[in-house]
Amino acid sequence: MITRLTLKNFKAWRELEIRFGKVTGLFGANSSGKSSLLQFLLMLKQTKNATDRRLALDLGSSASLINLGSFRDIVYQHDVKSTISWSLDWRLQEILKVEDAMSSRSTVRFQSDELRTECAVDLRNASPWSHDLVYEFDNTLFSLRPSSEGSTKFELHSKDFRFVRNRGRPWQLPGPIKTHLFPDQAKTFYQNADFLSKFEWEYETLMDRVFYLGPLREHPKREYTWSGAKPDDVGQRGERTVDAILAASADEEKRNLGRRKRLKPFQEFIADWLKTLGLIESFSVREVADGSNIYQAKVKKDSSSAEVLLTDVGFGVSQVLPALVLLYYVPEGSTILMEQPEIHLHPSAQSGLADAILKAVDTRDVQVIVESHSEHLMRRLQRRVAENESLSRDVKLYFVSMERGSAQLSDLRLNEWGEIENWPDNFFGDELAEIAAMRLATLERKIKASQIQ
């Protein structure tokens, strides 16, 4: 679970510090910087997955998870002389122990379930260049930094730990690989540096468990083909949603073999949520003919309606379906990034979606970071906090605004009663002003009407 992010000079953010909860809501006006925060996390995931280890940052292409253009496009105010730097804190799924390699006995030198990494990237020879890689573990810093400012020769440091060199001439270390890897030479030049790979592995595990659903989703289809492959997620446009449903259903059949008590079918579980949201009565994905590998998603609007294809009902069902499937499909312990999951939903369904998010967080130990414009979704989160005091520690709400060309983050202080103690001006528009203006207009028209009579 990601717990904290600090960021400098990325897109609209000159400086940012944000602490994440199990549910984190990002609200604010259009083009205020909300999406940029999610884009940064996606860039880290994309960079980790890059096959080219020489890339300090993988900014993507049209076929990538995210396409950010060039370094000039992502650096604050397009100042290519600036450095993009950040730190990322996260909680491990279990306690990590590091043994002392120089001891003849198995001795645990460090242990913790928390880890932090730092990195800085700037432009050198027209390409992003990574430097100042740091991991902090058990209150101890392990850093790889240039031997002098701007140098391409690096040194491995730790104030509270002594790295022991192998015998031979004092070779110089190259810089970091990507934004999270120590160079291979760090493990060969030193007798006791192998444990650094554990930090790298934990970082990669974290990135592997970051999943994303974008604000624009594919239209439903009348037919879907499925080869039997199991996708990692539903796709950033929800294009693999039906594949994920079928893969989850197939896994259930295998797990239920020999069980006395069968697990609730995944399709039925998703259908229950769609019904709870007030969208449909029933939902299923069925093969057109045995062995055809062609499937149709069918729904019933209410108990007396005829069963129809997903394409023949309101658009909201197909748009929220990827969000529900993603919440309950990805591995437990995952971090889910969502942009406007409430799109095309009526207000009561938007409120219900907040409950689906909270239920997934509670039962599956997933973390959800959601960017939204929905007052109804936020109000439901507030209501659930008011009903359950412990949720006030798990739910973090933020308001993002743009001031003088720089994105600003306001922590919406949510107390144990679900109240926001520092409600921003015009958060969701000025409701009282709208009501007053409407009443005044009504009164003026009535006065004019009475004068005519």
Side-chain angles (χ1 to χ4, degrees):
M1 171 178 160
I2 301 172
T3 56
R4 178 175 172 267
L5 171 68
T6 67
L7 181 59
K8 290 184 179 180
N9 296 322
F10 181 77
K11 298 196 79 169
W13 295 97
R14 184 176 181 274
E15 289 190 5
L16 167 71
E17 179 177 358
I18 180 171
R19 296 184 181 275
F20 298 97
K22 292 182 178 179
V23 177
T24 302
L26 303 172
F27 301 89
N30 293 326
S31 301
S32 58
K34 304 184 303 297
S35 296
S36 296
L37 197 159
L38 302 185
Q39 288 172 0
F40 177 78
L41 295 174
L42 292 174
M43 181 183 68
L44 294 185
K45 178 182 177 71
Q46 185 166 276
T47 300
K48 174 265 166 188
N49 289 337
T51 55
D52 188 349
R53 287 163 59 92
R54 296 170 299 177
L55 285 177
L57 289 175
D58 186 351
L59 301 181
S61 64
S62 58
S64 302
L65 180 63
I66 188 170
N67 184 7
L68 295 173
S70 66
F71 186 84
R72 184 180 185 277
D73 295 320
I74 66 168
V75 69
Y76 178 69
Q77 292 191 344
H78 308 304
D79 182 2
V80 294
K81 295 181 180 180
S82 294
T83 297
I84 299 174
S85 61
W86 65 91
S87 68
L88 186 70
D89 300 56
W90 72 99
R91 187 172 299 117
L92 311 181
Q93 292 187 301
E94 57 184 32
I95 293 176
L96 174 63
K97 297 180 180 181
V98 174
E99 295 184 352
D100 188 348
M102 304 304 293
S103 174
S104 58
R105 296 182 297 176
S106 296
T107 305
V108 175
R109 180 70 183 272
F110 305 105
Q111 63 176 354
S112 178
D113 64 349
E114 296 181 344
L115 193 55
R116 180 171 68 89
T117 186
E118 300 176 13
C119 194
V121 174
D122 53 27
L123 202 62
R124 172 173 289 202
N125 298 326
S127 298
W129 181 65
S130 178
H131 56 92
D132 288 8
L133 173 61
V134 178
Y135 280 94
E136 181 178 358
F137 182 70
D138 196 11
N139 298 314
T140 305
L141 295 177
F142 306 92
S143 63
L144 182 70
R145 292 193 168 104
S147 55
S148 60
E149 186 175 353
S151 174
T152 57
K153 298 178 180 179
F154 285 72
E155 295 179 352
L156 192 60
H157 289 285
S158 179
K159 180 180 177 182
D160 301 311
F161 180 83
R162 178 174 173 265
F163 287 104
V164 180
R165 279 270 194 178
N166 282 312
R167 290 184 178 182
R169 62 186 178 89
W171 305 280
Q172 293 291 338
L173 292 174
I177 299 171
K178 300 184 180 181
T179 60
H180 69 285
L181 295 170
F182 293 97
D184 296 335
Q185 292 90 331
K187 289 92 170 182
T188 56
F189 289 3
Y190 294 90
Q191 299 178 32
N192 57 344
D194 285 349
F195 69 90
L196 297 176
S197 297
K198 294 186 177 183
F199 302 157
E200 299 165 344
W201 185 87
E202 291 290 353
Y203 177 89
E204 293 187 345
T205 299
L206 174 71
M207 290 296 120
D208 285 342
R209 288 179 176 264
V210 172
F211 300 97
Y212 169 67
L213 179 63
L216 302 175
R217 282 149 232 163
E218 283 198 345
H219 288 230
K221 300 177 181 179
R222 303 192 75 81
E223 292 180 345
Y224 298 86
T225 58
W226 182 55
S227 64
K230 182 177 180 180
D232 292 332
D233 56 17
V234 299
Q236 58 182 312
R237 294 174 60 90
E239 66 273 16
R240 296 192 292 268
T241 298
V242 170
D243 289 6
I245 292 173
L246 294 171
S249 300
D251 283 350
E252 284 171 345
E253 288 300 317
K254 294 177 183 178
R255 291 200 303 270
N256 278 325
L257 291 176
R259 282 177 178 262
R260 291 184 177 180
K261 185 177 181 181
R262 295 176 63 86
L263 300 173
K264 189 171 188 177
F266 187 78
Q267 288 195 37
E268 183 179 330
F269 184 81
I270 297 300
D272 285 349
W273 270 113
L274 291 171
K275 185 176 180 179
T276 299
L277 295 181
L279 299 174
I280 57 168
E281 174 67 23
S282 67
F283 167 82
S284 64
V285 179
R286 300 196 297 270
E287 196 171 15
V288 173
D290 289 343
S292 67
N293 291 337
I294 299 174
Y295 295 80
Q296 292 180 328
K298 295 191 174 183
V299 300
K300 289 182 68 173
K301 179 58 182 174
D302 54 51
S303 57
S304 58
S305 298
E307 191 175 54
V308 297
L309 293 177
L310 185 59
T311 52
D312 299 328
V313 294
F315 203 52
V317 179
S318 64
Q319 297 303 286
V320 75
L321 183 62
L324 292 173
V325 173
L326 183 64
L327 286 168
Y328 293 94
Y329 176 77
V330 297
E332 293 188 5
S334 297
T335 295
I336 299 172
L337 313 180
M338 289 184 174
E339 289 192 72
Q340 300 179 49
E342 77 281 356
I343 196 166
H344 296 296
L345 291 181
H346 62 79
S348 65
Q350 293 178 30
S351 300
L353 181 58
D355 283 335
I357 290 171
L358 290 172
K359 189 67 173 180
V361 167
D362 181 51
T363 60
R364 308 195 66 245
D365 193 32
V366 295
Q367 177 184 29
V368 179
I369 303 172
V370 56
E371 182 266 311
S372 174
H373 294 289
S374 172
E375 179 179 3
H376 305 283
L377 186 148
M378 192 193 75
R379 292 293 193 186
R380 180 57 59 86
L381 293 176
Q382 288 182 260
R383 172 185 166 184
R384 296 310 184 208
V385 169
E387 295 170 346
N388 184 349
E389 179 183 348
S390 64
L391 273 180
S392 63
R393 297 188 295 271
D394 297 334
V395 176
K396 299 286 187 184
L397 303 179
Y398 294 95
F399 178 72
V400 182
S401 59
M402 184 67 69
E403 298 178 16
R404 297 180 180 179
S406 178
Q408 303 293 323
L409 186 76
S410 298
D411 184 354
L412 302 178
R413 295 191 298 273
L414 194 64
N415 64 26
E416 61 183 295
W417 314 113
E419 301 167 330
I420 293 176
E421 298 176 337
N422 58 331
W423 192 271
D425 293 335
N426 297 321
F427 189 179
F428 286 112
D430 191 344
E431 184 178 4
L432 292 177
E434 290 290 330
I435 294 173
M438 181 188 71
R439 296 277 174 84
L440 179 60
T442 301
L443 180 60
E444 289 175 346
R445 288 183 60 190
K446 287 182 177 180
I447 291 173
K448 289 180 180 179
S450 64
Q451 291 174 343
I452 293 173
Q453 293 175 353

